[in-house]
Amino acid sequence: DTVLTQSPALAVSPGERVTISCRASESVSTRMHWYQQKPGQQPKLLIYGASNLESGVPARFSGSGSGTDFTLTIDPVEANDTATYFCQQSWNDPLTFGSGTKLEIK
Amino acid sequence: EVQLVESGGGLVQPGRSLKLSCAASGFTFSNYGMHWIRQAPTKGLEWVASISPSGGSTYYRDSVKGRFTISRDNAKSTLYLQMDSLRSEDTATYYCATDWRSNWYFDFWGPGTMVTVSS
């Protein structure tokens, strides 16, 4: 299975720029997608196809990368961005998710 | 407004069965693939199963193959997950999700239903 590795946690202040990384154990082309999950809620799609912003998602969110290295950027961070962010690949079978990066806003 | 509402979760003993439902509304259900994803308590996300718009093609992760069956009733706009021979490691919140663009990611998720497998 394709393993997606994410940093476990980050803490930033409002107004700052934050980058969340996701590294794949093998190439996933640009079939990387990002989700936000707030406590007690279901995940929400933010970015699909590595860099495409889902409709209704603020332009503060952006994604980049290809192959094995991907980044989700939030600029500027707001207080309500407190959440866990997951990456997910759809290039290799089975579909897999990263373990999530918990973002704390100081 | 797009809505997905899962139901059917609960406490079940190991080896028993449970059937989850996901009622969809606000979109043409029969046009889109659908997925089940689960999340064990305080854990990450795990894809479980997928089904094509017509229901003619189904896909499963290895650990549930032969035990779980995904199906759909397009006339009722409802997705199902029949779970047999349940194990403790199946304990999780189960989410259904849409796949608008048929690109194997999850555009819209329901709020989930909790399944606990324990004696």
Side-chain angles (χ1 to χ4, degrees), chain A residues 12-93:
Chain A
V12 298
S13 299
E16 291 185 347
R17 178 176 183 267
V18 65
T19 59
I20 297 170
S21 65
C22 178
R23 174 164 287 178
S25 60
E26 58 188 320
S27 178
V28 299
S29 185
T30 56
R31 299 291 182 89
M32 185 64 79
H33 323 291
W34 291 93
Y35 303 86
Q36 176 193 64
Q37 186 177 32
K38 295 185 177 181
Q41 295 185 17
Q42 66 269 46
K44 173 187 172 184
L45 178 67
L46 298 175
I47 301 287
Y48 63 93
S51 60
N52 299 289
L53 190 67
E54 174 68 351
S55 175
V57 175
R60 303 184 292 105
F61 293 87
S62 62
S64 64
S66 66
T68 60
D69 290 295
F70 297 85
T71 300
L72 173 70
T73 300
I74 311 172
D75 187 15
V77 165
E78 295 182 357
N80 70 353
D81 295 333
T82 296
T84 301
Y85 293 84
F86 293 93
C87 55
Q88 176 243 327
Q89 66 82 23
S90 61
W91 184 248
N92 301 310
D93 179 37

Side-chain angles (χ1 to χ4, degrees), chain B residues 72-89:
Chain B
R72 63 193 297 160
D73 184 334
N74 284 343
K76 295 183 178 179
S77 296
T78 303
L79 176 72
Y80 302 101
L81 186 67
Q82 175 69 44
M83 304 186 294
D84 298 324
S85 304
L86 282 161
R87 306 167 180 169
S88 58
E89 55 263 35

Side-chain angles (χ1 to χ4, degrees), chain A residues 37 40-43, chain B residues 6 20 22 35-39 45 79 93-97 109-113:
Chain A
Q37 186 177 32
Q41 295 185 17
Q42 66 269 46
Chain B
E6 302 92 339
L20 306 183
C22 169
H35 306 275
W36 287 100
I37 302 106
R38 66 186 179 186
Q39 185 171 33
L45 298 161
L79 176 72
T93 296
Y94 284 73
Y95 299 100
C96 64
W109 301 57
T113 187

